[in-house]
Amino acid sequence: PKTGNRLTVLFTENHLRVVSMSKILSVGSPAFAFMTKIAVLVWLNLLWFVGCIPVFTIGVSTAALYQSIFAYQKGKDEAIHKLFWNAYKNNFKKGIVQFLIVLAVGGVLVADAIILYVTGILNTIAAILLGIPVVLVILAAGYIFPLQAFFENTIRHTVKNAWLLSCRHLIVSAVVGVLNVLPLVMMLVIPETFLKISILWVMIGTAATAYVNAFLLNKVFSLYIPKDTTGKANQETAQEDGHDGTQQL
């Protein structure tokens, strides 16, 4: 009888554990939603890497990544890979040009730093003078591809608005800029630590960074979306009609 009671207790405890786990992992539970989000980001990260294979399409792939994440955060009911490749196709020409612009500006700054270092002129004052435009470029670059993904606009206005918004919303700009350059800084400053987490970064790092950036930038971009008669921001209309909300700046 005692053995039977123990078996009954064990069976009951195991049954409760199974029921508890089933509730935790049930569709609609926070744990299930979290795991789904992780799976989506891993999938988007892989798509982003594939889209970057030609190298000159890094900007295209980044714009497509942000557009997919913006749509996902809005709860758009469409396969994530379809969202990505549709956005990839729509942003192809502009994404290439914008990437070349960022690459050219960054190349000039790197070349200046190398020249100053080789000639021995890279003192404290020169480093500060060079550091200011470097920081400004990093801040503005954090807006270019998200802006391209969020608003329909010309390349010229997208770049212009990236500068304006990065200066107007400095706190958000700083957070986005730090997140964007963090992998490079870690690779240069603490390479051992970066190597330890490199697999995790390859799996989800770029998409996870873009997800956090998109969450922050969505709040900024929403300020420049026209409002309907009720005073609420009409984001879907702005995006579908190709309205450039940032031209209001």
Side-chain angles (χ1 to χ4, degrees):
K2 291 183 180 179
T3 304
N5 290 336
R6 289 174 184 171
L7 289 174
T8 301
V9 171
L10 289 173
F11 176 78
T12 303
E13 289 178 350
N14 291 332
H15 178 69
L16 288 173
R17 291 195 189 100
V18 171
V19 171
S20 178
M21 285 300 296
S22 65
K23 287 183 179 179
I24 293 173
L25 300 177
S26 63
V27 177
S29 67
F32 184 85
F34 177 76
M35 289 188 294
T36 301
K37 187 176 295 183
I38 294 297
V40 168
L41 292 178
V42 170
W43 182 220
L44 276 174
N45 209 71
L46 176 60
L47 293 172
W48 180 81
F49 270 113
V50 172
C52 290
I53 288 176
V55 179
F56 65 88
T57 58
I58 290 176
V60 182
S61 196
T62 303
L65 174 64
Y66 273 101
Q67 192 164 326
S68 303
I69 289 175
F70 281 131
Y72 177 73
Q73 290 178 342
K74 284 173 57 182
K76 192 166 184 179
D77 187 18
E78 187 175 343
I80 202 70
H81 64 279
K82 290 184 178 179
L83 285 171
F84 181 87
W85 292 118
N86 285 336
Y88 193 92
K89 180 178 66 176
N90 294 334
N91 290 285
F92 193 80
K93 292 181 180 180
K94 292 179 180 179
I96 290 176
V97 175
Q98 287 166 348
F99 173 69
L100 292 177
I101 291 172
V102 174
L103 189 65
V105 175
V108 170
L109 292 174
V110 170
D112 287 343
I114 293 174
I115 292 171
L116 291 174
Y117 179 78
V118 171
T119 56
I121 308 176
L122 191 59
N123 52 31
T124 303
I125 296 176
I128 293 173
L129 293 176
L130 181 62
I132 292 173
V134 168
V135 171
L136 292 176
V137 168
I138 291 173
L139 297 182
Y143 279 81
I144 289 178
F145 300 112
L147 271 173
Q148 179 60 42
F150 199 90
F151 292 106
E152 181 65 33
N153 208 345
T154 62
I155 295 171
R156 178 173 170 271
H157 278 101
T158 298
V159 174
K160 174 186 174 183
N161 290 331
W163 284 103
L164 292 172
L165 289 175
S166 64
C167 294
R168 179 173 289 187
H169 304 276
L170 282 176
I171 295 178
V172 173
S173 303
V175 174
V176 171
V178 169
L179 289 175
N180 287 338
V181 300
L182 184 61
L184 179 61
V185 172
M186 289 183 65
M187 186 170 60
L188 296 175
V189 179
I190 45 174
E192 298 84 3
T193 304
F194 181 76
L195 285 174
K196 292 178 181 178
I197 65 170
S198 59
I199 296 177
L200 180 63
W201 188 262
V202 169
M203 287 180 59
I204 196 173
T206 302
T209 301
Y211 187 90
V212 176
N213 288 346
F215 176 78
L216 297 172
L217 293 173
N218 186 47
K219 296 180 181 298
V220 173
F221 296 163
S222 296
L223 298 174
Y224 304 97
I225 295 173
K227 296 182 178 181
D228 57 25
T229 54
T230 63
K232 296 180 180 179
N234 194 348
Q235 180 172 337
E236 290 187 7
T237 302
Q239 288 181 300
E240 290 172 2
D241 294 345
H243 180 86
D244 173 26
T246 54
Q247 285 188 15
Q248 298 175 17
L249 294 174

